[in-house]
Amino acid sequence: MLQLGVNIDHVATVREARYRGRGFGEPDPVEAALACERAGAHGITAHLREDRRHIVDRDVVALKERIRTRLNLEMAVAPEIVAIALRVKPGIVCLVPERRQEVTTEGGLEVSGNLARIREVCQQMAAAGIEVSLFISPDPAQIEAAAQTGASFIELHTGSYADQLLEGHDAAPELERLRTGAVQARQLGLRVNAGHGLTVANLPRLLEVVPHLEELNIGHSLVSRAVFVGLPRAVEEFLAVMRGYRLGPA
Ligand code: PXP
């Protein structure tokens, strides 16, 4: 069954808008994570950015202690963050690129140009019993490189697909890139997740076309919807769409 990982970063974004630097404040992303789990989410995702603009260190520690499903820690390969991951030991880390001025994770990881460093981090994580996923664009060269790192998963960046639809363009070419990327990854022995920009509206087309998906990581749209209907219902709405997925790995 296709798994839902809820990214709770933007719960922390709202907290930080009022309580930055104070060590407390509402809404609590950990309580939000627990509410998502109770509603059926299969995992919780949080991005500890180097600039700590939303999730902060204490959130990661508390998430690891309190959630019952799997913690997926999104992170750059920065030494400081790698050290935190090795200490906290999330179930899995998702390595992402990070730029200080970006609004959100803009592109995929440049794996082929950073093979040695990414391999090194994969080895450190493996030694600590932590799985690794690489957040990459559906680009054949990046997928090929990902297969040489020791990571077991890739997360296909669905942001361009989402943007094409939002801007009223033909999303078919992006969908085809995602489909062939998933097939290529699977042939190379990689397991495949996807995420970024996914909504209840754009998911059905993706799920009709892209095979082998094991987990979707969804944040902004789910948290936005929760403002109106609450987290449990927002989680249930996404799960309802995902239940129709028939192309998962056997
Ligand atoms: N996956 C990764 C690797 C991300 O960086 C993000 C954004 O933090 C997401 C998934 C979730 O994207 P969105 O918030 O657009 O659902």
Side-chain angles (χ1 to χ4, degrees), residues 159-179:
S160 297
Y161 161 65
D163 274 349
Q164 293 297 313
L165 283 179
L166 282 177
E167 290 165 10
H169 301 138
D170 178 13
E174 271 306 317
L175 268 182
E176 180 55 17
R177 283 198 337 130
L178 289 163
R179 189 189 69 75

Side-chain angles (χ1 to χ4, degrees), residues 13 15-24 51-54 56:
T13 301
R15 178 193 63 195
E16 295 300 291
R18 175 59 56 95
Y19 294 98
R20 172 165 292 282
R22 303 199 47 200
F24 60 87
D51 62 15
R52 309 301 200 273
R53 73 165 68 146
H54 38 52
V56 297

Side-chain angles (χ1 to χ4, degrees), residues 11-221:
V11 176
T13 301
V14 175
R15 178 193 63 195
E16 295 300 291
R18 175 59 56 95
Y19 294 98
R20 172 165 292 282
R22 303 199 47 200
F24 60 87
E26 64 176 9
D28 179 3
V30 182
E31 289 301 329
L34 296 174
C36 291
E37 284 188 329
R38 286 192 296 273
H42 304 97
I44 299 299
T45 299
H47 184 176
L48 184 67
R49 291 181 57 94
E50 288 181 83
D51 62 15
R52 309 301 200 273
R53 73 165 68 146
H54 38 52
I55 294 293
V56 297
D57 301 45
R58 71 175 189 279
D59 296 326
V60 179
V61 173
L63 284 166
K64 174 68 202 305
E65 276 173 8
R66 296 187 57 200
I67 68 171
R68 291 285 164 263
T69 59
R70 185 177 69 169
L71 176 60
N72 170 18
L73 183 66
E74 285 180 19
M75 52 177 277
V77 292
E80 181 212 359
I81 308 290
V82 170
I84 292 170
L86 292 172
R87 226 174 24 247
V88 175
K89 293 192 173 37
I92 184 166
V93 294
C94 181
L95 304 183
V96 303
E98 224 174 84
R99 276 187 292 275
R100 205 45 64 101
Q101 302 303 332
E102 68 192 355
V103 174
T104 181
T105 317
E106 281 164 0
L109 197 61
E110 171 50 52
V111 185
S112 49
N114 294 294
L115 205 51
R117 173 66 182 144
I118 292 170
R119 257 195 201 136
E120 182 189 13
V121 172
C122 288
Q123 277 165 6
Q124 288 174 301
M125 295 299 162
I130 303 167
E131 287 198 283
V132 180
S133 175
L134 305 179
F135 186 50
I136 55 178
S137 301
D139 170 345
Q142 298 299 338
I143 295 167
E144 183 78 43
Q148 296 164 37
T149 59
S152 27
F153 286 88
I154 59 164
E155 179 172 326
L156 287 172
H157 193 320
T158 49
S160 297
Y161 161 65
D163 274 349
Q164 293 297 313
L165 283 179
L166 282 177
E167 290 165 10
H169 301 138
D170 178 13
E174 271 306 317
L175 268 182
E176 180 55 17
R177 283 198 337 130
L178 289 163
R179 189 189 69 75
T180 54
V183 169
Q184 180 193 0
R186 194 78 189 140
Q187 280 167 353
L188 290 167
L190 291 160
R191 299 169 69 182
V192 186
N193 298 332
H196 209 284
L198 296 176
T199 68
V200 162
N202 67 25
L203 261 181
R205 272 184 79 184
L206 181 93
L207 298 184
E208 260 168 39
V209 171
V210 182
H212 308 312
L213 297 174
E214 294 193 38
E215 181 175 280
L216 302 178
N217 284 302
I218 301 178
H220 188 270
S221 177

